[in-house]
Amino acid sequence: MNHSVITVIGKDRIGIVYDVSKLLAENQINILNISQQLMGEFFTMIILVDTAQCPKSRQEMLDIFAQASQALALDIRMQNEELFNAMHRV
């Protein structure tokens, strides 16, 4: 399995979860766990995903998330799970 952590932050509105999960499904990225919360007027979401079936490279997905961030007025970022694991070894 290839795990990554995706964070999503933006002004709360209807359809954010739909927009992001649709983007993931279109790229064969499986959601393993998801957490979301409203912080005042801001929507925040953290998603643990499996990218093993994704046909695109990591850089292609980063570019797709950057384009989607602009189109959807959200901040969508993807980080490899290894980064988080390495931080806990320090």
Side-chain angles (χ1 to χ4, degrees):
M1 285 190 172
N2 298 320
H3 292 175
S4 290
V5 176
I6 296 173
T7 58
V8 179
I9 302 171
K11 288 272 206 170
D12 187 34
R13 63 171 172 77
I14 295 170
I16 294 175
V17 175
Y18 169 80
D19 289 336
V20 175
S21 59
K22 180 178 180 232
L23 181 64
L24 297 176
E26 288 171 346
N27 290 285
Q28 299 178 14
I29 297 175
N30 188 39
I31 296 172
L32 301 174
N33 201 337
I34 188 170
S35 173
Q36 63 186 36
Q37 183 173 351
L38 285 176
M39 298 178 66
E41 61 189 56
F42 293 98
F43 175 87
T44 64
M45 181 165 55
I46 301 171
I47 312 167
L48 178 64
V49 298
D50 180 0
T51 59
Q53 300 299 316
C54 181
K56 296 186 173 84
S57 72
R58 178 170 177 73
Q59 186 57 55
E60 287 174 312
M61 288 309 304
L62 292 173
D63 293 342
I64 288 170
F65 288 132
Q67 291 171 358
S69 289
Q70 287 187 332
L72 300 172
L74 298 169
D75 182 17
I76 306 171
R77 298 176 190 244
M78 181 174 71
Q79 298 176 331
N80 195 303
E81 183 184 41
E82 292 174 10
L83 172 69
F84 292 96
N85 290 336
M87 288 190 298
H88 291 286
R89 285 185 228 138
V90 173

